[in-house]
Amino acid sequence: MSGLSAFLAQNALKTEIEKHVISDRFVDDKGNPIPWEIRALTEAENKALRNACTKKIKDKGIVTTNTDYDEYLAKLIVESVVFPNLKDKELQESYGVVGAENLVRTMLTSGEYAKLLEVVQEVNGFDVGMEELVEEAKN
């Protein structure tokens, strides 16, 4: 297949869900760490996340934008994680939180959260450091 037809939606290869062990603290009945399932987002999904975390600020007639990058990265994680379902009410209640972003921040240690964020970035094709991701989110 060549030419334009290779780019048609029905001919595009589907992205795979990747499995990664994020923490050794979540184990199956045999004591083996349970892998998390991570998917890549489309740019349309990514843009919606950035927009949800961006506020317009008016000051003396000048409008600027301010993006909450911590919130953006938390939303990026939540939307990329397929399993465990971070939006599950029972899972949230077990940690005493409401909301998937609050759940992932509460259930993971800071090192585990950083590892998950790194994996999410890799799965989504961000082959750049955190500073460059933040710069991309600004634009």
Side-chain angles (χ1 to χ4, degrees), residues 5-128:
S5 64
F7 293 94
L8 297 176
Q10 65 269 24
N11 296 330
L13 297 176
K14 304 299 178 212
T15 57
E16 302 265 330
I17 292 176
E18 295 187 20
K19 294 183 178 187
H20 295 268
V21 172
I22 301 303
S23 172
D24 293 332
R25 297 183 307 117
F26 307 104
V27 296
D28 63 18
D29 54 359
K30 295 179 182 174
N32 300 315
I34 299 172
W36 291 44
E37 296 178 12
I38 316 292
R39 73 178 182 98
L41 304 181
T42 65
E43 178 51 24
E45 292 171 308
N46 187 47
K47 182 178 179 182
L49 296 179
R50 283 193 317 264
N51 288 344
C53 299
T54 301
K55 307 251 185 293
K56 290 184 179 181
I57 302 167
K58 263 187 172 179
D59 185 26
K60 300 177 184 173
I62 299 173
V63 179
T64 59
T65 59
N66 183 29
T67 302
D68 183 339
Y69 299 108
D70 289 334
E71 194 62 25
Y72 163 71
L73 293 173
K75 287 181 182 301
L76 180 66
I77 287 172
V78 167
E79 292 306 314
S80 296
V81 171
V82 175
F83 179 82
N85 179 2
L86 299 172
K87 296 177 183 177
D88 183 80
K89 183 179 178 182
E90 181 181 2
L91 186 57
Q92 291 176 17
E93 286 175 352
S94 77
Y95 283 91
V97 298
V98 175
E101 291 85 5
N102 291 331
L103 173 63
V104 74
R105 289 181 184 122
T106 301
M107 74 186 291
L108 297 177
T109 66
S110 56
E112 292 166 346
Y113 186 90
K115 180 177 181 178
L116 177 57
L117 179 57
E118 183 179 328
V119 168
V120 164
Q121 289 173 310
E122 288 174 11
V123 169
N124 278 286
F126 295 118
D127 296 336
V128 295

